[in-house]
Amino acid sequence: MNLSLKIATRYLFSKKSHNAINLISMISVCGIAIASMAMVCALSVFNGFHDLVKDMFSTFDPELKITAVKGKVFDPETDVFQTIREMDGIAIFTECLEDNVLVKYADKQVPATLKGVPANFSQQTLIDSIIIDGSFFLEDEMNNYATLGIGLANNLGVNAAFVYPLEIFAPNRTAKVNMLDPSGSFNREYAYIAGVFMMNQPIYDNQCMIVPLSLARELFSYETEVSAIELKLKDNANISKVQKEIQTLLGNDFHVKNRYEQQENSFKMMNIEKWVTFLILCFIMAIAVFNVITSLSMLIIEKKNDIITLRNLGADDRLISRIFLLEGSMISVLGGITGIVLGVLLCLAQQIFGLLKLGSDSSAFTIEAYPVVVSASDTLIVLGTVLIIGFLAAIYPVKKIKF
């Protein structure tokens, strides 16, 4: 064993002549352990919410989505899109047309986002899993049907049992505005209510309604145009590879986005919150590590005679400094590893038993307890942070106190 490490280990675990030094060292280890445990738990909770939101969006968002860089719509009946249809990794190719409309039922009028989809939309997404009233279907021989988000349905005061259709209005792109008869400047279509879905995401629950693609084209005065193409890949397909291949085919005129990129703002905000919380806990860690300065300062004073003896035996200032730097680092490592182990165990207990609930009324939340996902990279980041802060704290007393 390295001489400086052997001496530092002996100083750490041996009994000191002054009990205060042992007490302060123990306080340092406990403070660092608690701060490390808090870091692991906080980062794991953010990871849990990240995965929860990702799972929610994955029930509705496609694996890949193609949209135009300029303009609202584009024509999918071209050779390049035919090539994409026939790519090996593509399982389902879904054309969508989406725009804003005004929905009316009885005396209530609500703005909404209308999404026209073909029959294979139910294979593209997990829409059936989030239906809470009625069922998902688009049309029959006589009528068109709409599936609404729960917030939109509540605002209109409707559900799947209502027998009268919704009135849907959209501006007529091909007609001039007639000030004497403004209603003539709007296209109007009807759709019966097939079902109501709930995703616990306001951008869908409060605004979205799904209708047949043919109805959307009639309403918006389009023939073959779409606003997006949604793709589901085969099980063995590499999403990143297929995304790059499609982007290469389409060039700079189109965006090809995966699920994270489709909800970039939501995931980016969660990451910002996660790392801001981490920085705050780093400040708490720095305060806890201040005890290392006190502990090392007192230890250096107590070991003054040992330092003289080491010098007489030929030890230089570099060796002596390394002994106390290792001492401080070992306190940080001991506290950091203890805290990380406790944090991981606490997170596992939360996963299994749901110790910490989101609220007393479990029906008000999607899940009952705080979700946690322990990440190996996060634990390494916590340990690295502890080592860096602990090392910096150990430098001060070693450099300032004369041997």
Side-chain angles (χ1 to χ4, degrees):
M1 183 185 290
N2 182 277
L3 178 61
S4 56
L5 179 60
K6 186 174 182 179
I7 297 173
T9 304
R10 182 178 177 84
Y11 282 171
L12 178 63
F13 294 105
S14 64
K15 186 176 180 180
K16 284 76 173 177
S17 59
H18 296 85
N19 289 330
I21 301 177
N22 296 82
L23 181 60
I24 293 173
S25 298
M26 185 59 64
I27 291 173
S28 300
V29 171
C30 292
I32 294 171
I34 292 171
S36 302
M37 182 178 65
M39 282 184 170
V40 171
C41 292
L43 295 180
S44 298
V45 169
F46 276 107
N47 291 338
F49 277 113
H50 182 279
D51 285 1
L52 177 64
V53 172
K54 182 185 71 174
D55 291 341
M56 287 181 177
F57 280 125
S58 66
T59 62
F60 200 85
D61 290 341
E63 291 179 298
L64 292 177
K65 185 174 183 178
I66 302 172
T67 55
V69 173
K70 295 182 179 179
K72 285 186 176 181
V73 297
F74 58 92
D75 187 0
E77 303 297 327
T78 59
D79 292 341
V80 66
F81 286 107
Q82 186 61 36
T83 301
I84 294 173
R85 288 176 187 267
E86 297 172 357
M87 289 179 64
D88 291 338
I90 305 300
I92 299 175
F93 184 103
T94 303
E95 299 177 1
C96 300
L97 181 58
E98 186 173 322
D99 210 336
N100 297 323
V101 296
L102 180 70
V103 186
K104 180 180 178 183
Y105 191 87
D107 59 342
K108 294 183 178 180
Q109 301 180 14
V110 179
T113 300
L114 181 138
K115 182 172 184 174
V117 299
N120 67 358
F121 182 74
S122 59
Q123 298 173 317
Q124 174 74 243
T125 64
L126 301 174
I127 183 68
D128 291 329
S129 67
I130 56 175
I131 297 293
I132 60 170
D133 183 31
S135 58
F136 176 77
F137 57 96
L138 296 170
E139 55 190 338
D140 56 24
E141 295 179 357
M142 299 291 295
N143 302 305
N144 293 311
Y145 293 87
T147 303
L148 285 66
I150 186 171
L152 179 59
N154 288 338
N155 291 334
L156 289 168
V158 298
N159 60 43
F162 280 39
V163 296
Y164 294 104
L166 301 168
E167 290 183 85
I168 309 170
F169 298 88
N172 189 340
R173 298 185 308 107
T174 61
K176 295 182 179 180
V177 177
N178 186 346
M179 299 305 295
L180 297 177
D181 183 19
S183 62
S185 302
F186 290 85
N187 291 333
R188 178 170 61 179
E189 295 289 341
Y190 296 90
Y192 290 88
I193 305 166
V196 177
F197 69 83
M198 182 174 69
M199 277 189 60
N200 294 296
Q201 293 297 326
I203 60 173
Y204 292 124
D205 289 346
N206 297 341
Q207 301 174 17
C208 186
M209 64 181 301
I210 304 169
V211 299
L213 179 59
S214 57
L215 182 147
R217 283 176 171 159
E218 287 289 333
L219 191 64
F220 299 133
S221 303
Y222 291 118
E223 294 182 1
T224 60
E225 293 87 346
V226 297
S227 59
I229 289 174
E230 299 182 353
L231 303 174
K232 182 176 182 179
L233 307 187
K234 295 178 180 178
D235 293 338
N236 60 349
N238 185 305
I239 294 178
S240 298
K241 182 179 178 181
V242 174
Q243 182 181 9
K244 291 178 181 178
E245 290 177 357
I246 295 174
Q247 188 68 74
T248 302
L249 283 172
L250 295 175
N252 296 326
D253 293 333
F254 292 89
H255 294 298
V256 183
K257 297 183 177 181
N258 57 33
R259 282 184 174 137
Y260 285 100
E261 292 166 340
Q262 292 168 44
Q263 303 295 339
E264 184 177 4
N265 291 335
S266 297
F267 288 116
K268 187 178 292 185
M269 184 59 66
M270 291 186 68
N271 280 329
I272 291 173
E273 292 174 348
K274 174 180 176 179
W275 294 114
V276 166
T277 302
F278 176 76
L279 289 176
I280 293 172
L281 291 173
C282 282
F283 284 111
I284 297 174
M285 173 70 72
I287 294 171
V289 170
F290 281 152
N291 288 318
V292 175
I293 299 175
T294 304
S295 177
L296 277 182
S297 300
M298 295 181 67
L299 183 63
I300 290 170
I301 294 171
E302 184 186 86
K303 300 300 181 182
K304 186 176 181 180
N305 292 332
D306 289 3
I307 293 170
I308 294 173
T309 301
L310 287 170
R311 277 187 166 177
N312 292 335
L313 292 172
D316 55 12
D317 289 347
R318 184 179 178 184
L319 174 63
I320 297 170
S321 297
R322 190 160 59 244
I323 291 171
F324 292 102
L325 283 174
L326 286 171
E327 171 84 9
S329 298
M330 289 170 66
I331 293 174
S332 301
V333 169
L334 182 60
I337 293 176
T338 302
I340 289 172
V341 171
L342 291 175
V344 170
L345 292 176
L346 186 59
C347 289
L348 292 176
Q350 176 68 15
Q351 284 181 334
I352 298 171
F353 303 108
L355 303 175
L356 190 59
K357 306 294 182 182
L358 283 168
S360 56
D361 184 9
S362 60
S363 62
F365 302 95
T366 307
I367 53 176
E368 293 185 1
Y370 279 91
V372 289
V373 175
V374 179
S375 167
S377 60
D378 285 347
T379 56
L380 290 176
I381 289 172
V382 172
L383 182 58
T385 302
V386 172
L387 292 176
I388 292 171
I389 295 177
F391 180 77
L392 294 175
I395 288 176
Y396 179 80
V398 173
K399 294 294 183 184
K400 291 295 182 181
I401 296 179
K402 305 297 182 181
F403 295 117

